Amino acid sequence: MTIRRGVVLGAVLVAAVLVAPLSSGHRAGAQNAARLDLEAQTLFVDDDPAEVVLRVSGAPDAARLRFTIYDDPVLTRAELRDHHRNPPTSGSRIANFECTLDGDCRGQATLTEGPDGIRTLTLPDDEIGESLRSTPGALPLVVQLLDEGDDGDDVLDEFATSLVVLDDAAPTATGPFRVDVAFTSRVVAPVALQPDLRYELDVDALLSAASALADHRELAVTTELRPETLDALAASDPAALDELLAIIDERPLLRGPWVDMDEEAWRRADESDQVVAQYALGNDTLESFVGGPPTGLVRLDPDAGPDTLALLRSAGATAVLVADDQLDTDTRSAEPTQPFQMLDANGVAITALRYDEGLHETLADEDPELAAYRALAELAIAAGEATTDLGVLLDLDRVDTEALVR
């Protein structure tokens, strides 16, 4: 997907695009019967008039819609998330006008009514559009559903989103730069082979864990499997094995041992050879079932350290996945360029990818449309301030997949 005005969003590790989903949700925090939902919007302002598509439900006939666009551009992801959580209430404005529900905007915009409470706002391009295009950055847009109360206007519902204006010029002489979005997912089960050689495996739970992959086959999600689980299915439930293999067909797989193990604990017990052997067995098992080797990506355990990294490298790891609590404070606060480098005990660098907790937070909104547009705005801001290609790593198991479509 190419974002206009010189910025590209793509995916190298795992291809995915965030756009507005097809189903309707609702933002968190609305306490009234009257509801205001975002259905679709223009995100990247260009030469065509900007539009916002809303759904209004449960509102009194005399209710009004207020649209406010602030001209204080947001230039960082952290500021953008703050604006979405705490919409601005003051400051210089590019536009600030109201429309009745039957479409009277007093000539400041056009509001058309569709079925099921849908309203489409079109901003006048020869006035507001020109002002928008002159202000690069993410411009906060606040939409409120108002009704007259005893002490002035009551806000029945509201949401905040953004209109993104990108510079035509590339950020540097070597730009434009890419923001690559990657996903991982876990489809794991406890050890199935029991000491008495019986298999105990909750097949329904296993296939349920794979349901997000099955429902979103368009996403090439890097998947974590236990090789022992596949071997157990082959011996106890071949039909379930076939179903699981169809779900993970052609998906990249994380590298891992035959069964889950604490690599650092085994290393401290002077059993590093067991770790290497378990990874070799896991690699061979995965390859035998899926027809190709897993990737060199390994998920780090919480207790992993530089010595663990050196051990994992000897077991075939070429890159590691890390969480914020596995990084020091300086690394977390710096939001390092993705991927970045970590040093093992021998001072050798290994590629690391960090889960993007900020984007996880953004995509957790109860309204998947809002979440999708906010996430895209964040990625655009990240690309706009980039000096190199960037990677964003997300855990599909923590994301509302309604906000993810091709």
Side-chain angles (χ1 to χ4, degrees), residues 123-256:
L123 298 173
D125 191 62
D126 57 348
E127 299 172 10
I128 295 176
E130 287 300 317
S131 298
L132 292 174
R133 286 188 286 271
S134 66
T135 313
L139 302 170
L141 165 61
V142 179
V143 183
Q144 297 175 307
L145 181 63
L146 306 175
D147 193 27
E148 291 185 6
D150 294 336
D151 299 318
D153 286 336
D154 292 332
V155 179
L156 304 180
D157 202 0
E158 66 177 348
F159 66 81
T161 183
S162 304
L163 296 171
V164 178
V165 182
L166 302 173
D167 283 331
D168 286 315
T172 71
T174 58
F177 298 107
R178 294 162 53 89
V179 174
D180 301 325
V181 183
F183 292 92
T184 68
S185 182
R186 306 184 78 181
V187 183
V188 299
V191 176
L193 182 61
Q194 302 302 303
D196 60 2
L197 301 184
R198 291 181 301 106
Y199 289 102
E200 291 184 3
L201 184 61
D202 189 337
V203 174
D204 289 339
L206 182 68
L207 294 178
S208 176
S211 61
L213 300 177
D215 294 340
H216 295 275
R217 296 184 183 274
E218 74 280 1
L219 298 181
V221 182
T222 303
T223 306
E224 181 177 2
L225 293 171
R226 299 277 184 261
E228 189 269 350
T229 302
L230 297 178
D231 197 63
L233 284 174
S236 62
D237 196 335
L241 174 64
D242 290 342
E243 184 175 351
L244 181 59
L245 290 177
I247 291 174
I248 65 171
D249 183 41
E250 297 185 355
R251 297 185 185 279
L253 301 178
L254 290 183
R255 182 175 294 268

Side-chain angles (χ1 to χ4, degrees), residues 2 85 106-108 157 163 169 184 197 241 284 298 304 313 348:
T2 300
R85 288 193 302 263
R106 299 190 177 184
Q108 298 187 71
D157 202 0
L163 296 171
T184 68
L197 301 184
L241 174 64
D284 292 345
V298 173
R313 185 194 300 279
V348 179

Side-chain angles (χ1 to χ4, degrees), residues 223-308:
T223 306
E224 181 177 2
L225 293 171
R226 299 277 184 261
E228 189 269 350
T229 302
L230 297 178
D231 197 63
L233 284 174
S236 62
D237 196 335
L241 174 64
D242 290 342
E243 184 175 351
L244 181 59
L245 290 177
I247 291 174
I248 65 171
D249 183 41
E250 297 185 355
R251 297 185 185 279
L253 301 178
L254 290 183
R255 182 175 294 268
W258 166 254
V259 294
D260 190 27
M261 65 189 309
D262 186 335
E263 295 90 352
E264 177 59 13
W266 282 87
R267 187 197 66 80
R268 291 181 179 180
D270 294 327
E271 295 287 355
S272 294
D273 288 346
Q274 283 287 348
V275 175
V276 175
Q278 286 289 312
Y279 267 79
L281 179 57
N283 181 85
D284 292 345
T285 303
L286 288 176
E287 188 167 358
S288 68
F289 279 105
V290 304
T295 68
L297 288 166
V298 173
R299 188 191 299 269
L300 283 189
D301 283 338
D303 62 349
D307 289 304
T308 322

Side-chain angles (χ1 to χ4, degrees), residues 1-10 44 75-77 80 164-167 169-172 175-181 375-392:
M1 175 182 179
T2 300
I3 296 179
R4 296 181 180 184
R5 297 185 181 270
V7 180
V8 177
L9 290 184
F44 302 107
L75 300 176
T76 70
R77 288 183 57 196
L80 189 62
V164 178
V165 182
L166 302 173
D167 283 331
T172 71
F177 298 107
R178 294 162 53 89
V179 174
D180 301 325
V181 183
L376 269 178
E378 280 197 45
L379 293 175
I381 290 297
E385 60 185 356
T387 57
T388 184
D389 291 342
L390 302 178
V392 172

